[in-house]
Structure formats: structure tokens, C-alpha cells
Amino acid sequence: MKAARVDGRYRLAVAVRTLAATAGGYAVAAAVAAALSLALAAH
């Protein structure tokens, strides 16, 4: 049996998904931090 070759397209797809998940996580964290700061500043 031949070892499965991981081609460039698969590596690119994984990299793009990882980048998207990381950016999404940062966006959610920033939105929560902004909402908390606004809520605390309002009091």
C-alpha cells in the first residue's frame, strides 16, 4: 500500500480553516470585551 500523499490544496484548506477559526475567535472576544466595557461605563 502506498502512503497517502498530502497535496498542497489540502494543506491550504486546513490553513484557511485554521486562520478563519482564529480570526473568528478574536472577533468574538473583541466584541464581548467591547460590550462589557460599554456596559460597565454606562453605570
Side-chain angles (χ1 to χ4, degrees), residues 2-43:
K2 232 162 101 176
R5 188 177 68 86
V6 178
D7 64 353
R9 285 177 298 180
Y10 176 76
R11 285 180 186 264
L12 181 63
V14 170
V16 167
R17 285 184 196 154
T18 303
L19 182 63
T22 303
Y26 278 120
V28 169
V32 169
L36 282 174
S37 67
L38 288 174
L40 291 175
H43 288 289

